[in-house]
Amino acid sequence: MNGVTHDTHNLPREILIVANPFSGAKENRGCVEGLAAALRKRDLDCRIVWDLGEFVEITTDPAADERYRCVVAAGGDGTLNRVFNLQRHLPVFMFPLGNENLFSRQFGCCPDPQHAADVIEAGQTQAVDLGRAGDRLFAIVASAGFDGEAAHRLARWRQQSDKLRRVRSVSYATPILMSALRYRYPLMDIEADGQKLRGALCMVFNMPQYANKLPLAFDADPHDGLLDWVVFERPGNLLLARYALSVWLKQHRHRHDVRFGRAKRVVLGAAEPVPLEIDGEAAEFAPVTIDVIPQAVRIVVPPAACGCRR
């Protein structure tokens, strides 16, 4: 059971929108204002917040649960990740304005303001699991190794100016190239619910989504109380390219040097720090313990009859 709820009677009429002006390639302020206008046409009030500090102040108010129907994360998967890490008591809706928008791909949301307003007005929610890497939550994936290195390089590039740089799809090219040239592929000791492994890249999924629709953990389920892990055992750029091709062909599970499974807890040990990325953004470093929090948060989802008007 996914714990779907439909009752909209007595729900609050105010919507809290947490918006990221720097995600994706769109002019986000116009998109967010379009959503707010669509909600007001449905007699739903809106409060738009562009600063996470203000968002924390709002959600720590004991009266927030009675005032707001839900939180709208208007941005990419990174914006949604911050919302989950800052609060879990209000239901969350994803208004996708990022580059990949993996979470919205999973649950059928789209950036059309009218569609989004219909979904929020309908008020259908379901409970989903979240993963936790150290003290940070994630909705989609935590990955240690080459992906983490590229994410850390991208994060440093974003911060090399007075104003946070906007990330577009092309922005990943240089960090990936530099990672291929300089990353040394340190090996990790991995334990998944008691099963011991060793590898150069470990990916732990809560959902089956990944960048470019790569089917790494194509049967992961955010409702099963488990995390799906994939370990690529051997290091090096040539092996990484071969792994990527086998993933694209959905053949990686047939390789002798790729291990996979499900677990409630995955422990990554390392003799030296291994860079970690969470939901596409730079996080900390392994060693780290990753576990699952079943039914950690409620999300607002489209009713089956609510089609996306693109």
Side-chain angles (χ1 to χ4, degrees), residues 91-304:
V92 178
F93 175 74
M94 175 79 173
F95 186 54
L97 300 176
N99 291 300
E100 287 282 354
N101 302 309
L102 303 179
F103 188 92
S104 63
R105 184 192 300 167
Q106 176 73 21
F107 292 102
C109 303
C110 75
D112 177 78
Q114 301 302 322
H115 172 262
D118 286 343
V119 174
I120 293 168
E121 183 182 33
Q124 178 173 304
T125 67
Q126 66 176 239
V128 296
D129 306 336
L130 292 177
R132 177 172 53 196
D135 59 1
R136 184 167 166 182
L137 302 174
F138 64 92
I140 303 161
V141 62
S143 178
F146 184 89
D147 287 14
E149 175 73 7
H152 278 247
R153 288 184 180 277
L154 180 66
R156 290 194 293 270
W157 169 81
R158 290 195 78 183
Q159 297 167 1
Q160 287 176 351
S161 65
D162 295 335
K163 188 177 181 180
L164 190 66
R165 291 172 169 172
R166 183 184 292 271
V167 173
R168 296 174 171 84
S169 297
V170 70
S171 305
Y172 293 88
T174 298
I176 290 173
L177 176 60
M178 294 305 296
S179 297
L181 292 174
R182 298 184 180 179
Y183 187 56
R184 295 185 295 111
Y185 293 92
L187 294 177
M188 292 171 282
D189 292 307
I190 302 151
E191 184 173 340
D193 280 359
Q195 183 177 356
K196 294 184 178 181
L197 313 106
R198 188 167 172 81
L201 172 61
C202 180
M203 312 180 79
V204 182
F205 290 86
N206 183 48
M207 295 182 184
Q209 305 295 336
Y210 196 67
N212 297 314
K213 299 184 179 180
L214 288 174
L216 279 147
F218 46 83
D219 50 0
D221 182 354
H223 306 101
D224 65 359
L226 296 168
L227 298 170
D228 286 46
W229 53 266
V230 184
V231 173
F232 299 90
E233 293 183 336
R234 297 196 285 169
N237 290 333
L238 181 58
L239 266 299
L240 183 68
R242 290 176 177 173
Y243 286 143
L245 178 60
S246 66
V247 169
W248 185 260
L249 297 173
K250 271 192 176 183
Q251 296 296 313
H252 57 295
R253 292 186 178 182
H254 301 294
R255 292 184 61 107
H256 72 278
D257 54 356
V258 176
R259 308 284 295 279
F260 62 95
R262 290 192 173 109
K264 293 182 178 180
R265 186 170 181 263
V266 180
V267 180
L268 306 184
E272 60 181 279
V274 178
L276 184 70
E277 65 93 357
I278 288 177
D279 288 350
E281 297 202 337
E284 298 297 327
F285 295 83
V288 66
T289 296
I290 302 173
D291 60 1
V292 65
I293 306 176
Q295 299 190 357
V297 68
R298 298 200 70 83
I299 60 169
V300 183
V301 293

